[in-house]
Amino acid sequence: GAGVSQSPSNKVTEKGKDVELRCDPISGHTALYWYRQSLGQGLEFLIYFQGNSAPDKSGLPSDRFSAERTGGSVSTLTIQRTQQEDSAVYLCAGRGGQGRSGANVLTFGAGSRLTVL
Amino acid sequence: EDQVTQSPEALRLQEGESSSLNCSYTVSGLRGLFWYRQDPGKGPEFLFTLYSAGEEKEKERLKATLTKKESFLHITAPKPEDSATYLCAAAGASNDYKLSFGAGTTVTVRA
């Protein structure tokens, strides 16, 4: 598609429930990232995909968080047994080809706002 | 660990009142310093990439500059539509695929 699409845009859930957040990146973007943005905080790195593999998942806060990517395209971030501290905006970003010095521009989706009651 | 700190947290300007935002970074082997703009309810939108000290980039009323320790985003004669949160991010040599973000500066421009 023309941009990075994320769904749902808003999710309100009860503590202890599982949630799935979806990201549909720009076609051809081989690298995909998940970041979390809490109120007043900077973007917190969660996980990086290159194709379908995740060489860096160091930012996942706990084993309740997992993510997968299939077909080098759509990615799903799953949070099990949600807690109130999981409330945040979850942002997905894609990256196109290799840029100068290995640093690249990320294209972000609008995010999924998660509220855990 | 790469660190990025932005100041001030918030900036209120009168239309036409120029100002600067600061981004201090501690990154081993800088591979790129990025500026993004984020509007409420939207994802960050790319503005600039700077790669080496002394480099400058301009876009309309925005100019980004880079030294070995800091980057500045200068807003010249701002308009209300420049109101947004401006995010700074850096990529270092150890993890050049990953951006470390600052907390952002929220700019409000009053007409």
Side-chain angles (χ1 to χ4, degrees), chain A residues 33 35 37 40 42-43 45 48 56 58 91 95 100-106 108-110, chain B residues 31-32 34 36 38 41-44 46 49 51-52 87 91 96-99 101-103:
Chain A
Y33 302 75
Y35 281 83
Q37 186 173 34
L43 274 69
F45 169 81
Y48 158 65
D56 187 350
S58 63
L91 291 161
R95 187 189 76 200
R100 174 181 164 181
S101 301
N104 299 272
V105 173
L106 302 187
F108 284 87
Chain B
R31 288 290 183 263
F34 300 78
Y36 283 81
Q38 186 174 26
K42 297 188 176 181
F46 171 75
T49 310
Y51 294 103
S52 55
L87 299 168
D96 67 354
Y97 57 86
K98 183 163 69 176
L99 300 189
F101 282 83

Side-chain angles (χ1 to χ4, degrees), chain B:
Chain B
E1 183 179 327
D2 298 341
Q3 288 195 335
V4 177
T5 304
Q6 292 188 247
S7 62
E9 290 184 12
L11 192 59
R12 294 177 62 87
L13 301 172
Q14 198 66 35
E15 184 172 5
E17 178 189 1
S18 301
S19 189
S20 294
L21 285 57
N22 177 267
C23 171
S24 298
Y25 64 91
T26 304
V27 172
S28 180
L30 183 72
R31 288 290 183 263
L33 188 292
F34 300 78
W35 284 97
Y36 283 81
R37 168 188 171 127
Q38 186 174 26
D39 292 300
K42 297 188 176 181
E45 178 184 348
F46 171 75
L47 291 173
F48 305 109
T49 310
L50 302 167
Y51 294 103
S52 55
E55 190 174 357
E56 298 182 353
K57 294 270 180 76
E58 282 189 70
K59 180 180 180 179
E60 296 181 356
R61 294 174 294 282
L62 301 177
K63 182 166 102 172
T65 61
L66 183 66
T67 73
K68 289 187 177 179
K69 293 184 180 180
E70 296 174 303
S71 179
F72 295 92
L73 184 66
H74 308 277
I75 310 178
T76 302
K79 297 182 177 182
E81 53 261 43
D82 295 322
S83 297
T85 296
Y86 292 87
L87 299 168
C88 173
S94 59
N95 296 300
D96 67 354
Y97 57 86
K98 183 163 69 176
L99 300 189
S100 297
F101 282 83
T105 295
T106 299
V107 174
T108 305
V109 182
R110 297 165 292 175

Side-chain angles (χ1 to χ4, degrees), chain A residues 15 36 38 64-65 82-88 90 116:
Chain A
K15 177 181 171 182
R36 177 167 74 173
S38 303
R64 296 186 296 105
F65 287 72
T82 52
Q83 303 293 313
Q84 288 183 332
E85 60 262 30
D86 300 334
S87 296
Y90 290 83
V116 182

